[in-house]
């Protein structure tokens, strides 16, 4: 089944002429309205959504909406434990660098990032899909990122956003621990050993092996892995799945699957930094 977004344009495979034509005809304010009115959003989402009339970012976000709706139908990762839909980020914001705080301006991973509340931020300098595709292709070719798909950076940040929203829900409403301590103890402080990094680099690329003050390695391995599996499973329309991403994950070496399980099974901590329950 093909989908057109108010433009009567159907998508082919990859970054095709049809997608680029759709980009030019995209109306970001219509896509903003879609997210605000969607039945898949959680109750507090999209109060501050802002595409800044960036057609590329608006269209890519709308495509991600279809991808994550489809993935949730295949695999309800909420496991009935969360009242949230957990399909969309908390907010989607295209930003200009001069709008950011000094702390964020000094972050080397500035172009695409996710905040702790699950909001995705995208640098307004990326204002066409061809440029985004070129960067993604290059980073994949040099072994830095796990996928060269033009949607991969968006999908990566959506995965961070959904994970953050789930952890926030568990710590704030279900008594599983303290959100800040969980982020510090499980994500910021933990890192893989040399052998694990070699395995991860072979499957996902160099980025997932980085651990510094700006990267939470466990979270990055999680996001890079599922970005790869999702992108590798997309059909020609870049909206639906021709394969199951979970089955793609199961085709990886067992050693890698053990690492992915370790970084995905979140250990919660209370306000004093003591371990609580796992999820």
């Amino acid at each position: 089944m093909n989908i057109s977004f108010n433009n009567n344009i159907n998508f082919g495979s990859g970054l095709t002429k049809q997608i680029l034509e759709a980009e030019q005809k995209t109306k970001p304010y219509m896509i903003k309205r879609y997210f605000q009115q969607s039945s898949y959003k959680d109750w507090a989402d999209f109060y501050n959504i802002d595409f800044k009339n960036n057609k590329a970012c608006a269209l890519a976000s709308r495509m991600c909406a279809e991808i994550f709706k489809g993935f949730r139908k295949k695999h309800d990762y909420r496991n009935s434990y969360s009242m949230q839909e957990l399909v969309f980020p908390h907010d989607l914001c295209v930003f200009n660098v001069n709008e950011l705080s000094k702390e964020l301006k000094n972050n080397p991973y500035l172009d695409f990032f996710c905040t702790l509340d699950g909001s995705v931020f995208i640098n307004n300098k990326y204002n066409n899909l061809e440029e985004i595709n070129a960067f993604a292709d290059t980073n994949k070719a040099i072994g830095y990122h796990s996928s060269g798909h033009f949607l991969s950076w968006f999908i990566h940040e959506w995965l961070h956003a959904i994970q953050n929203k789930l952890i926030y829900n568990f710590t704030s409403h279900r008594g599983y621990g303290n959100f800040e301590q969980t982020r510090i103890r499980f994500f910021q402080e933990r890192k893989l050993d040399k052998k694990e990094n070699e395995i991860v680099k072979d499957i996902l690329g160099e980025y997932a092996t980085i651990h510094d003050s700006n990267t939470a390695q466990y979270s990055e391995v999680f996001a890079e892995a599922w970005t790869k599996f999702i992108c590798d499973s997309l059909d020609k329309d870049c909206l639906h799945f021709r394969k199951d991403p979970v089955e793609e994950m199961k085709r990886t070496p067992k050693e890698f699957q053990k690492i992915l399980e370790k970084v995905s099974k979140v250990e919660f901590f209370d306000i004093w930094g003591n371990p609580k329950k796992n999820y």
Side-chain angles (χ1 to χ4, degrees), residues 44-50 89-93 117-121:
D45 291 345
F46 304 126
Y47 284 141
N48 298 302
I49 185 171
D50 183 6
H90 176 59
D91 253 313
L92 290 163
C93 300
D117 68 354
S119 295
V120 170
F121 285 78

Side-chain angles (χ1 to χ4, degrees), residues 62-111:
R62 182 65 181 86
M63 295 177 77
C64 284
E66 293 304 309
I67 291 168
F68 278 86
K69 282 158 57 178
F71 188 64
R72 239 285 306 279
K73 288 177 181 177
K74 283 180 174 290
H75 302 284
D76 191 352
Y77 38 77
R78 300 173 305 166
N79 290 332
S80 300
Y81 293 122
S82 176
M83 296 299 292
Q84 294 171 291
E85 292 293 334
L86 294 176
V87 175
F88 299 156
H90 176 59
D91 253 313
L92 290 163
C93 300
V94 173
F95 67 89
N96 296 316
V97 173
N98 60 9
E99 299 171 338
L100 298 180
S101 66
K102 182 178 179 181
E103 180 183 10
L104 286 175
K105 287 179 183 178
N106 292 330
N107 189 328
Y109 309 105
L110 181 66
D111 291 343

Side-chain angles (χ1 to χ4, degrees), residues 192 196 199-200 221 255-263:
L192 303 180
E196 290 172 325
I199 295 169
V200 165
V221 173
E255 295 84 356
F256 174 78
Q257 292 183 40
K258 289 179 181 178
I259 295 170
L260 183 58
E261 181 181 13
K262 180 172 78 170
V263 302

Side-chain angles (χ1 to χ4, degrees), residues 111-279:
D111 291 343
F112 286 71
F113 65 91
C114 177
T115 54
L116 294 182
D117 68 354
S119 295
V120 170
F121 285 78
I122 308 159
N123 196 324
N124 200 22
K125 74 178 184 180
Y126 294 105
N127 56 16
N128 69 82
L129 291 178
E130 286 186 301
E131 183 180 12
I132 294 171
N133 185 58
F135 278 114
D137 272 343
T138 298
N139 284 340
K140 170 62 176 175
I142 64 176
Y144 191 64
H145 280 144
S146 66
S147 174
H149 197 285
F150 72 96
L151 291 174
S152 60
W153 292 358
F154 294 89
I155 290 170
H156 178 105
E157 297 307 329
W158 278 51
L159 286 160
H160 281 314
I162 291 169
Q163 185 181 60
N164 283 350
K165 287 172 68 176
L166 183 62
I167 294 171
Y168 182 82
N169 182 42
F170 269 61
T171 54
S172 300
H173 305 297
R174 299 185 63 86
Y176 271 58
N178 177 267
F179 181 81
E180 183 177 359
Q181 285 294 329
T182 297
R183 292 293 310 181
I184 292 172
R185 303 290 183 182
F186 186 78
F187 291 104
Q188 292 297 146
E189 293 182 354
R190 302 260 175 105
K191 61 180 179 178
L192 303 180
D193 62 31
K194 182 179 179 180
K195 182 179 179 180
E196 290 172 325
N197 273 324
E198 290 173 354
I199 295 169
V200 165
K201 185 176 182 179
D202 184 56
I203 303 294
L204 302 180
E206 182 182 355
Y207 180 69
T209 69
I210 297 172
H211 179 83
D212 59 29
S213 60
N214 292 300
T215 58
Q217 189 179 18
Y218 276 26
S219 183
E220 297 302 340
V221 173
F222 167 83
E224 276 292 289
W226 286 105
T227 295
K228 173 181 171 59
F229 303 140
I230 289 172
C231 289
D232 288 352
S233 301
L234 289 175
D235 207 340
K236 291 181 179 181
D237 62 4
C238 300
L239 297 169
H240 303 91
F241 292 104
R242 61 184 172 85
K243 297 184 291 186
D244 187 340
V246 172
E247 293 303 314
E248 285 296 290
M249 180 272 293
K250 291 179 180 178
R251 293 188 179 95
T252 60
K254 295 296 182 182
E255 295 84 356
F256 174 78
Q257 292 183 40
K258 289 179 181 178
I259 295 170
L260 183 58
E261 181 181 13
K262 180 172 78 170
V263 302
S264 301
K265 191 174 183 180
V266 177
E267 184 177 354
F268 291 90
F269 291 82
D270 64 22
I271 194 171
W272 299 281
N274 299 315
K276 297 273 286 183
K277 302 174 183 177
N278 290 342
Y279 176 69

